[in-house]
Amino acid sequence: MIIAHKEHARYGLARPLGQLLATAVRTALGDRRAGWLCPVPSPRATVRQRGHDPLRRLTAVAVKSLRRQGIDVRAADALRVIRRPEDQAGLSAAARAANLDGVFGLRSRWAETLIDQPVLLVDDVITTGSTLSEAGRALESGGIRVLGGAVLAATARHRASGS
């Protein structure tokens, strides 16, 4: 479903996926009744190629769903892509981390708003955690404490034979 929404513009999937993201966010927030959701950004060229920004769409659905439940969450487009990373497919965890080093930067206008606020990163799929780690680093470089992340899915980890 994630790939169909993301890569094939199946917009009708935004609602169920966004509601699933809302469930993940609610779990990540714990007892908190408010917070900021910061989607991990895609490079502009990728958004243009897809014709939409799937994660922003899902984040908007999640925000709407959570607000209807009485949880005061808002989206914060606090990150930007500074440089386009290479394709991550097939890279090891170490190579992914190196590939993403310095990819994201904090949009300065958000720094003051998000300091001392509960902030969650949101993404669609977690593979090694490198993307969320780098996004968190970018926010924390501006003094923004990140509570954690909420994702829709995780890829299966494969162990090397003999380990």
Side-chain angles (χ1 to χ4, degrees):
M1 284 177 58
I2 295 168
I3 292 171
H5 175 258
K6 186 174 183 173
E7 303 297 342
H8 304 294
R10 297 279 308 275
Y11 300 132
L13 295 172
R15 185 171 181 196
L17 289 171
Q19 290 173 339
L20 181 61
L21 183 60
T23 300
V25 166
R26 189 168 191 173
T27 300
L29 284 173
D31 294 336
R32 291 178 185 84
R33 303 293 295 167
W36 292 88
L37 306 185
C38 183
V40 173
S42 295
R44 284 185 197 148
T46 302
V47 173
R48 272 194 309 276
Q49 180 183 359
R50 287 180 179 143
H52 72 126
D53 189 332
L55 188 56
R56 285 177 111 188
R57 185 183 305 272
L58 299 182
T59 301
V61 172
V63 165
K64 190 174 182 179
S65 175
L66 289 163
R67 291 181 73 79
R68 278 195 304 261
Q69 297 172 46
I71 300 170
D72 184 19
V73 294
R74 297 174 189 174
D77 287 325
L79 292 172
R80 62 188 175 93
V81 176
I82 295 174
R83 69 168 181 81
R84 186 179 179 135
E86 297 300 318
D87 185 7
Q88 299 272 83
L91 296 181
S92 68
R96 282 174 179 258
N99 184 42
L100 292 172
D101 187 40
V103 164
F104 302 118
L106 174 64
R107 292 179 191 266
S108 59
R109 64 186 166 97
W110 281 98
E112 192 173 311
T113 302
L114 297 178
I115 288 179
D116 296 326
Q117 295 294 311
V119 177
L120 282 175
L121 288 164
V122 293
D123 205 355
D124 53 3
V125 178
I126 186 170
T127 303
T128 64
S130 297
T131 302
L132 288 176
S133 291
E134 176 57 22
R137 184 217 50 83
L139 289 172
E140 289 174 353
S141 73
I144 298 165
R145 191 173 72 84
V146 177
L147 295 175
V151 298
L152 292 172
T155 59
R157 291 217 167 190
H158 300 286
R159 297 183 144 226
S161 60
S163 60

